[in-house]
C-alpha cells in the first residue's frame, strides 16, 4: 500500500495512539473537578498547552485546544469579526482559502452584514501584497490568509502580509496554518500574526484535535458558551487525551521534519521531473511550494477514473481537497489560478508525509504511465 493522501489526513503515530490510550485510562477525571484526580488531569492539560506553545514559539495562555482546523478557523474568523465589529465591518481574505474559511466569510457577509474583499491570486496561486495594501482600510478588522494552500501547496508571503497589516491598528491577522505546520517554517511573532489555526490529524495526531493561537490582548467572541473552559474561549469538557496526543504528535513530527523535510523536498522534485517527462501531464504546483504537495492533471482523463485505477493498484491519493472531492470535480483553486477548465477538472493531488522518500517515485510513476496508457485506450 502506498498512501499519498497526507494532506487529507495522516496516519496517527503508534506512540501518539499509545499516549491517547494511557491518558484515557489513567487521567479520565474532568480537569475542572476540584479533587486530586481532577487537579492531576488539569496539570496534564496545562503541560500539553505549554508544549504546544513552546513548539509554536508562543505563550501557553495563547493556545486554545479545539476539535480541528474547521473549528479553529470558524472561531478565529467569526470570533474576531463579532467581537470587533464596533471598530469596523470590513474583512479581507483570498479566493483560494479552505472552505472552512471561505464559508465563514460568506456567512459573515450574507447573514451578518459584513463587507468582505476576496483577494485574487496569480497563476501560481499567490496573493499580491500590493493588492492587499490597496484594499486595507481603517475599518478593516480582520485579514485571513492561509500559509500553505491545501490543493496545490502554494506558500503565501505571510511575513510581508503581516508587516502590511501591522500598520493598521484595528486589523487582526489570522493565518490558517493547517497545511503549513511541521512542513513550512512560520515564525508567528515575527510575522505579526494575531490568530493561527492548526489541526492534529494533519501531522500524525488524531482526528478531532486541533489548536488556535490567540495573541495576548486579542478579543474574540467565543462560539461555544457554557462552562468557560479553555481560558473562557471554548466551553465544553476538554478532550484531555486528544490534547495530550496533539502535543505529542506536534513534537514528534516537528523533530522528524528537522531531519526529513529535505528528503521530502527531494522526493517532490524527483516526482516533478518524472511527471514532466510524461506527455500530456500538466503540473499545477508552482516550483516554489510546500515540500509535501504536488498537484498535476492529465487533461484528457477524468481525475476520478485515474484515482480509482491507482486505488486498484494499492496507491491512494485525492482529487483536490478532501472536503470537496466528493462534491465537485472542478478545483476552484485551479480555476482562480486561471488554469483551463479541463485542467481544473482533472487535477490530482499527491501529498507526502514526513516519512516519505524517493522510494515512492518509481511505483507511483510506473502506475501512472500504465494507467494513462490503459485508460486512454478505453476512452478512445
Ligand atoms: C488548509 C486547511 N484548512 C482547514 C482544514 C480543516 O481542517 P480539519 O479537517 O481539521 O477540520 C483543512 C483540511 O483539509 C485544510 O487543508
Amino acid at each position: 500500500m502506498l498512501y499519498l493522501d497526507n494532506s487529507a489526513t495522516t496516519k496517527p503515530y503508534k506512540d501518539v495512539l499509545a499516549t491517547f490510550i494511557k491518558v484515557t485510562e489513567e487521567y479520565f477525571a474532568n480537569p475542572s473537578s476540584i479533587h486530586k484526580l481532577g487537579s492531576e488531569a488539569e496539570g496534564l492539560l496545562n503541560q500539553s498547552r505549554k508544549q504546544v506553545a513552546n513548539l509554536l514559539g508562543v505563550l501557553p495562555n495563547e493556545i486554545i485546544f479545539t476539535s480541528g482546523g474547521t473549528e479553529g478557523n470558524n472561531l478565529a474568523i467569526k470570533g474576531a469579526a463579532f467581537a470587533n465589529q464596533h471598530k469596523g465591518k470590513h474583512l479581507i481574505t483570498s479566493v483560494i482559502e479552505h472552505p472552512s474559511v471561505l464559508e465563514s466569510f460568506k456567512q459573515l457577509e450574507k447573514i451578518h452584514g459584513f463587507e468582505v474583499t476576496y483577494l485574487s491570486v496569480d497563476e501560481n496561486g499567490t496573493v499580491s501584497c500590493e493588492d492587499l495594501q490597496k484594499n486595507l482600510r481603517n475599518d478593516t478588522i480582520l485579514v485571513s490568509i492561509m500559509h500553505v494552500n491545501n490543493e496545490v501547496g502554494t506558500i503565501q508571503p505571510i511575513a510581508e502580509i503581516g508587516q502590511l497589516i501591522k500598520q493598521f491598528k484595528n486589523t487582526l491577522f489570522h493565518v490558517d496554518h493547517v497545511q503549513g505546520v511541521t512542513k513550512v517554517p512560520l515564525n508567528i511573532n515575527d510575522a505579526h500574526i494575531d490568530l493561527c489555526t492548526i489541526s492534529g490529524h494533519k501531522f500524525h495526531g488524531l482526528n478531532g484535535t486541533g489548536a488556535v493561537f490567540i495573541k495576548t490582548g486579542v478579543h474574540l467572541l467565543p462560539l461555544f458558551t457554557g462552562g468557560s473552559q479553555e481560558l473562557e474561549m471554548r466551553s465544553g469538557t476538554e478532550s484531555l487525551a486528544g490534547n495530550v496526543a496533539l502535543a505529542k504528535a506536534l513534537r514528534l513530527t516537528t523533530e522528524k521534519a528537522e531531519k526529513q523535510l529535505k528528503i521530502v523536498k527531494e522526493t517532490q522534485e524527483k516526482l516533478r521531473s518524472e511527471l514532466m517527462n510524461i506527455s500530456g501531464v500538466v503540473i499545477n504546483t508552482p516550483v516554489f511550494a510546500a515540500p509535501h504537495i504536488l498537484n498535476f492533471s492529465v487533461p484528457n482523463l477524468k481525475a476520478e477514473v485515474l484515482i480509482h485505477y491507482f486505488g486498484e493498484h494499492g496507491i491512494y491519493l485525492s482529487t483536490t481537497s478532501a472536503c470537496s472531492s466528493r462534491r465537485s470535480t472542478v478545483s476552484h483553486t485551479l480555476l482562480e489560478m486561471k488554469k483551463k477548465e479541463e485542467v481544473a477538472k482533472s487535477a490530482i493531488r499527491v501529498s507526502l508525509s514526513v516519512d516519505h522518500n524517493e522510494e515512492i517515485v518509481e511505483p507511483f510513476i510506473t502506475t501512472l504511465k500504465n494507467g494513462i496508457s490503459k485508460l486512454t485506450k478505453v476512452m478512445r
Side-chain angles (χ1 to χ4, degrees), residues 7-9 67-73 97-101 146-151 176-180 197-202 207-210 321-323 349:
S7 286
T9 198
S67 66
T70 299
E71 185 194 323
N73 285 339
E97 299 296 313
H98 186 268
S100 57
V101 168
M146 73 202 317
H147 185 205
V148 170
N149 178 268
N150 49 302
E151 293 189 44
D176 174 352
H177 192 28
V178 167
Q179 293 291 344
T197 308
I198 64 168
S199 170
H201 73 107
K202 307 289 184 181
N207 283 316
T209 64
S321 58
C323 323
R349 178 185 67 186

Side-chain angles (χ1 to χ4, degrees), residues 187-308:
N187 188 317
I188 291 179
N189 291 317
D190 287 358
H192 305 287
I193 294 168
D194 298 294
L195 298 155
C196 184
T197 308
I198 64 168
S199 170
H201 73 107
K202 307 289 184 181
F203 48 81
H204 306 279
L206 301 170
N207 283 316
T209 64
V212 177
F213 156 76
I214 305 173
K215 193 183 175 133
T216 306
V218 167
H219 295 292
L220 297 188
L221 189 78
L223 300 185
F224 301 171
T225 48
S228 299
Q229 287 91 344
E230 287 304 297
L231 315 175
E232 303 189 4
M233 269 302 133
R234 196 232 187 209
S235 291
T237 302
E238 302 87 345
S239 167
L240 177 61
N243 298 340
V244 178
L246 174 101
K248 181 142 193 172
L250 187 59
R251 177 173 67 75
L252 292 177
T253 310
T254 304
E255 284 167 6
K256 270 209 175 173
E258 274 168 24
K259 299 185 202 106
Q260 288 281 125
L261 275 185
K262 196 170 158 284
I263 298 169
V264 177
K265 184 73 195 161
E266 284 162 9
T267 307
Q268 183 202 45
E269 278 163 10
K270 180 104 174 86
L271 273 174
R272 179 189 286 274
S273 71
E274 293 284 340
L275 285 173
M276 280 164 67
N277 289 332
I278 305 176
S279 113
V281 170
V282 177
I283 298 176
N284 303 314
T285 292
V287 174
F288 177 68
H292 64 304
I293 296 178
L294 192 61
N295 186 309
F296 68 95
S297 304
V298 187
N300 54 351
L301 280 185
K302 267 193 171 172
E304 289 82 352
V305 176
L306 199 48
I307 280 170
H308 283 129

Side-chain angles (χ1 to χ4, degrees), residues 27-324:
Y27 294 86
F28 56 85
N30 190 321
S32 300
S33 296
I34 55 171
H35 50 66
K36 180 168 158 277
L37 298 185
S39 307
E40 284 171 5
E42 190 190 21
L44 195 54
L45 182 67
N46 290 338
Q47 222 175 296
S48 315
R49 200 184 305 284
K50 201 169 160 193
Q51 192 172 23
V52 172
N54 283 343
L55 289 162
L56 296 179
V58 300
L59 301 172
N61 62 5
E62 296 178 321
I63 294 296
I64 298 302
F65 288 114
T66 65
S67 66
T70 299
E71 185 194 323
N73 285 339
N74 273 264
L75 170 63
I77 295 163
K78 292 181 203 167
F82 291 141
N84 296 287
Q85 54 186 319
H86 57 284
K87 296 180 189 163
K89 290 196 88 170
H90 180 234
L91 315 168
I92 301 179
T93 189
S94 88
V95 289
I96 61 158
E97 299 296 313
H98 186 268
S100 57
V101 168
L102 280 178
E103 294 304 318
S104 295
F105 278 100
K106 285 191 187 142
Q107 204 181 59
L108 289 169
E109 184 178 36
K110 294 201 175 116
I111 300 178
H112 300 286
F114 285 84
E115 182 192 347
V116 183
T117 300
Y118 297 91
L119 300 177
S120 60
V121 293
D122 66 13
E123 68 286 356
N124 289 323
T126 313
V127 162
S128 142
C129 289
E130 292 79 60
D131 198 13
L132 170 65
Q133 192 160 25
K134 272 189 229 146
N135 282 287
L136 277 165
R137 316 188 314 216
N138 289 333
D139 66 338
T140 308
I141 55 164
L142 176 69
V143 176
S144 178
I145 303 289
M146 73 202 317
H147 185 205
V148 170
N149 178 268
N150 49 302
E151 293 189 44
V152 291
T154 300
I155 303 170
Q156 300 296 351
I158 296 298
E160 282 170 75
I161 293 173
Q163 275 296 339
L164 289 177
I165 294 172
K166 195 183 130 203
Q167 293 156 27
F168 288 77
K169 69 174 180 11
N170 291 334
T171 314
L172 296 174
F173 183 22
H174 167 246
V175 175
D176 174 352
H177 192 28
V178 167
Q179 293 291 344
V181 67
T182 73
K183 320 293 188 319
V184 183
L186 177 68
N187 188 317
I188 291 179
N189 291 317
D190 287 358
H192 305 287
I193 294 168
D194 298 294
L195 298 155
C196 184
T197 308
I198 64 168
S199 170
H201 73 107
K202 307 289 184 181
F203 48 81
H204 306 279
L206 301 170
N207 283 316
T209 64
V212 177
F213 156 76
I214 305 173
K215 193 183 175 133
T216 306
V218 167
H219 295 292
L220 297 188
L221 189 78
L223 300 185
F224 301 171
T225 48
S228 299
Q229 287 91 344
E230 287 304 297
L231 315 175
E232 303 189 4
M233 269 302 133
R234 196 232 187 209
S235 291
T237 302
E238 302 87 345
S239 167
L240 177 61
N243 298 340
V244 178
L246 174 101
K248 181 142 193 172
L250 187 59
R251 177 173 67 75
L252 292 177
T253 310
T254 304
E255 284 167 6
K256 270 209 175 173
E258 274 168 24
K259 299 185 202 106
Q260 288 281 125
L261 275 185
K262 196 170 158 284
I263 298 169
V264 177
K265 184 73 195 161
E266 284 162 9
T267 307
Q268 183 202 45
E269 278 163 10
K270 180 104 174 86
L271 273 174
R272 179 189 286 274
S273 71
E274 293 284 340
L275 285 173
M276 280 164 67
N277 289 332
I278 305 176
S279 113
V281 170
V282 177
I283 298 176
N284 303 314
T285 292
V287 174
F288 177 68
H292 64 304
I293 296 178
L294 192 61
N295 186 309
F296 68 95
S297 304
V298 187
N300 54 351
L301 280 185
K302 267 193 171 172
E304 289 82 352
V305 176
L306 199 48
I307 280 170
H308 283 129
Y309 181 85
F310 271 113
E312 283 162 16
H313 293 79
I315 299 180
Y316 301 97
L317 17 75
S318 271
T319 48
T320 54
S321 58
C323 323
S324 59

